Amino acid sequence: MRNFTPDKLWINYQLRNLNQLNPRRYTLTHSDETGDLFLVISSDYAYDKLTAMRDEVLGEWTTKDFQNYYFYVYVRLDGEDGTKSTARRNEIFIKELPTALKAIKYGDPYLFTVYPQFNSAPIYIHFQSDDPKYNRIEYYQTFNEY
């Protein structure tokens, strides 16, 4: 992913209503060959876009009180080889997540225009791993940072 380039982002809205917030989910995948990013914005994750490599970024808007939203992201650190590549995949995700978050923000301008408060919503990343050393949730600032 490296640097975010808007003309390399392909967006596929699959929402019935652009105002829909709950659920509003994002599936971000990429092509290693072309550097293109593919963003699906839908009521559910685009499971048909997931590959055995599991290098996608899955995110969703969520709330506990229907007023204060936050953005929750899932990334899978364990690879096809189990936890053997977890440390390396952790490094890659940490490096690439800012680009992924920029792509999600850029790819859903309607949301950030209609609900400008979402620019200030906290972002949490759930680094998922079977290895307790890597399985964690981290605060990643707000979309104002991206």
Side-chain angles (χ1 to χ4, degrees):
M1 278 192 255
R2 302 291 162 142
N3 296 319
F4 175 64
T5 307
D7 62 343
K8 292 283 210 172
L9 177 63
W10 301 92
I11 306 157
N12 182 351
Y13 276 98
Q14 296 181 357
L15 297 170
R16 293 184 186 166
N17 177 347
L18 287 179
N19 291 320
Q20 174 184 325
L21 293 178
N22 201 356
R24 190 181 193 101
R25 295 189 173 117
Y26 302 78
T27 305
L28 182 67
T29 58
H30 72 280
S31 167
D32 287 331
E33 293 175 11
T34 65
D36 288 348
L37 297 172
F38 306 96
L39 179 63
V40 176
I41 304 169
S42 182
S43 299
D44 207 354
Y45 297 116
Y47 292 108
D48 60 320
K49 305 294 184 199
L50 308 186
T51 67
M53 290 181 62
R54 294 302 312 264
D55 57 358
E56 66 280 340
V57 174
L58 304 176
E60 67 180 325
W61 289 102
T62 190
T63 180
K64 291 183 180 177
D65 59 13
F66 296 102
Q67 290 180 3
N68 298 307
Y69 279 85
Y70 57 94
F71 194 67
Y72 201 86
V73 175
Y74 304 87
V75 294
R76 186 74 190 160
L77 296 180
D78 301 340
E80 294 177 277
D81 59 359
T83 57
K84 291 179 184 172
S85 62
T86 299
R88 178 70 181 127
R89 288 171 55 85
N90 182 64
E91 291 173 16
I92 293 168
F93 272 115
I94 288 171
K95 182 178 179 181
E96 302 294 349
L97 273 167
T99 301
L101 293 170
K102 286 176 191 174
I104 289 168
K105 181 178 180 180
Y106 184 88
D108 199 1
Y110 181 83
L111 177 88
F112 291 99
T113 300
V114 173
Y115 303 101
Q117 67 272 25
F118 280 24
N119 283 297
S120 301
I123 300 169
Y124 296 97
I125 310 291
H126 187 167
F127 294 87
Q128 298 176 311
S129 174
D130 291 336
D131 184 336
K133 177 180 170 184
Y134 292 99
N135 189 53
R136 67 196 186 281
I137 298 170
E138 289 187 9
Y139 172 65
Y140 255 66
Q141 305 296 326
T142 68
F143 276 103
N144 283 325
E145 306 297 319
Y146 301 98

